[in-house]
Amino acid sequence: MRVLIVEDEVRLAETVRRGLSDAGFVVEVVHNGEDAVWAATEQSYDVIVLDIMLPKLSGYKVLEELRSRSVWTPVLMLTAKDGEYDQTDAFDLGADDYLTKPFSFLILVARLRALIRRGGPERPVVLTAGDLILDPARRRVERGGREISMTPREYGLLEFLMRHRGDTVSKTEILENVWDPAFEGDPNVVEVYIRYLRLKLDTPFSRHAIETVRGMGYRLDPEGG
Amino acid sequence: MRVLIVEDEVRLAETVRRGLSDAGFVVEVVHNGEDAVWAATEQSYDVIVLDIMLPKLSGYKVLEELRSRSVWTPVLMLTAKDGEYDQTDAFDLGADDYLTKPFSFLILVARLRALIRRGGPERPVVLTAGDLILDPARRRVERGGREISMTPREYGLLEFLMRHRGDTVSKTEILENVWDPAFEGDPNVVEVYIRYLRLKLDTPFSRHAIETVRGMGYRLDPEGG
DNA sequence: TAAGCCGCTCAGCGGATTCTCAGCGGCGGC
DNA sequence: GCCGCCGCTGAGAATCCGCTGAGCGGCTTA
């Protein structure tokens, strides 16, 4: 159980460090935001205790930076009751739990255990091709920051293409995987749906992500066109 | 001061019930794990006394289930000295305190009082989506500062959506998690209950928190609509 | 016992989605 | 440059899907 403590008050940090050690955690302490980002990125922790008031980089910035770097370790934030940021903020910022100072040490341990038990927010599996982003969990597609709505069939086709981005896939393969293995109808459907995708994904952005490979099938440009 | 006793030995349960009643607690007794989960989820208690050896569902499973359902009522666990689980485990499993059988009744009362005293801050995590707030511990929902009353089913559905806010969840997933894993009926119930939620949460506030993802399911806007 | 709430079912409506079809047009081979 | 294949396109028909209002039965409360 590895814990990273980010706390600038040296005495508090030391108290917590000793307590958590006794509770069986392996503890690392850093005293400012920059070190926190560095440590959390380079090392792997089960949970991070993050003070919100920090020199150099506020806890809130640290969290933002970590998430943007795809570090999904659960974070418990320490907030001051009367501080600039309150509890609501802590959650909005993506903290997984928070405690208001002063806090009971037993509670800290309990919360940390709870966080570790339930694990971090799952690492999002997102498919990308240039600025084209598909998030299977949310079933959302966006390009250039703009969300694009998809019908189920369109979405299925796009997901398939993105999972094979860079490869040329034949209409038959597409029909078998996106439609039905036993699909009987006209392969022209695929052409029709490719067109729908192009109208939504390429035309409005003057791009050309979906290429036609004559006689072969289609190919999604990994760079997004 | 409401206490839930989970204890399968009827005589012991009855003794404890009477004793705690005399000490001024309002006491409810169940005799197996399944009833315990149900009671603790449906009702609100200040503390739960949980025997670890139980028919149907062990105390350890009960605790796990409760925490996973966001019931954060403090739990005092009763362990047998020579049992399969010992004291160390009790804490690791998330119990807030434990007593080894046989125990002194006075000590039980003292510990319960202590647990209830520090009970408040133990409760973590309120789920939010914009100005929509759901407090699992109290089974309360409010929007824009106004409390919104919910039937159990409505509440269950909303909690599920909020735990997955941002994600698209299918009607099947919903049925399995909010209704019953073995639910057989018409998925249309979900549509109906989505409607109820919208009538309570969205319509009166001219918002649009619950989105329909055609062909897929529903999505709760993390921003609240 | 009556009234009310709750969970659930049902059937009809209307919009969204899927798929077919037929004509067009461009690319590539000769 | 011409021909034929292949893919593109626009329109329209059929189907699917979610929404809604009504209603029923069971359980609780007065």
Side-chain angles (χ1 to χ4, degrees), chain A residues 171 188 191 195 198 212 214-215 218:
Chain A
K171 273 180 273 197
N188 171 249
E191 295 162 17
R195 174 171 141 78
R198 282 174 172 158
T212 304
R214 206 149 214 278
Y218 298 93

Side-chain angles (χ1 to χ4, degrees), chain B residues 31-213:
Chain B
H31 299 289
N32 65 67
E34 279 179 15
D35 292 353
V37 172
W38 184 86
T41 313
E42 293 299 313
Q43 307 280 323
S44 148
Y45 298 95
D46 296 296
V47 65
I48 298 173
V49 178
L50 183 59
D51 191 7
I52 205 156
M53 298 294 283
L54 286 175
K56 295 201 182 179
L57 212 59
S58 75
Y60 138 71
K61 286 283 182 196
V62 171
L63 182 53
E64 195 172 68
E65 179 70 20
L66 288 180
R67 297 306 190 227
S68 84
R69 292 194 190 185
S70 303
V71 177
W72 298 99
T73 314
V75 167
L76 184 149
M77 224 170 214
L78 301 179
T79 63
K81 213 192 325 244
D82 50 342
E84 182 184 353
Y85 310 100
D86 68 2
Q87 311 155 355
T88 321
D89 284 328
F91 273 130
D92 278 342
L93 299 175
D96 301 279
D97 202 348
Y98 69 90
L99 276 181
T100 307
K101 292 186 193 176
F103 51 84
S104 139
F105 191 78
L106 284 177
I107 290 179
L108 174 64
V109 174
R111 297 284 188 86
L112 289 183
R113 291 230 162 90
L115 275 183
I116 291 173
R117 246 201 317 280
R118 79 167 171 154
E122 260 301 333
R123 168 174 53 82
V125 185
V126 188
L127 300 169
T128 62
D131 59 347
L132 222 190
I133 300 175
L134 183 147
D135 182 336
R138 303 193 206 178
R139 303 205 128 228
R140 272 172 54 108
V141 177
E142 56 175 80
R143 170 150 234 181
R146 257 198 21 230
E147 177 168 2
I148 297 172
S149 79
M150 294 267 151
T151 73
R153 195 62 99 197
E154 289 165 359
Y155 176 87
L157 174 56
L158 180 61
E159 180 174 342
F160 184 74
L161 290 176
M162 291 202 62
R163 289 194 182 284
H164 298 270
R165 60 191 180 284
D167 296 353
T168 300
V169 290
S170 71
K171 273 179 273 199
T172 314
E173 277 178 273
I174 292 176
L175 284 172
E176 283 173 0
N177 287 285
V178 180
W179 270 255
D180 193 87
F183 181 85
E184 291 286 306
D186 191 332
N188 172 250
V189 230
V190 178
E191 295 162 19
V192 174
Y193 273 85
I194 288 285
R195 175 170 142 79
Y196 294 159
L197 286 188
R198 282 174 172 157
L199 286 174
K200 288 186 175 182
L201 300 174
D202 280 348
T203 312
F205 299 88
S206 310
R207 304 291 279 290
H208 187 67
I210 303 176
E211 303 163 11
T212 303
V213 184

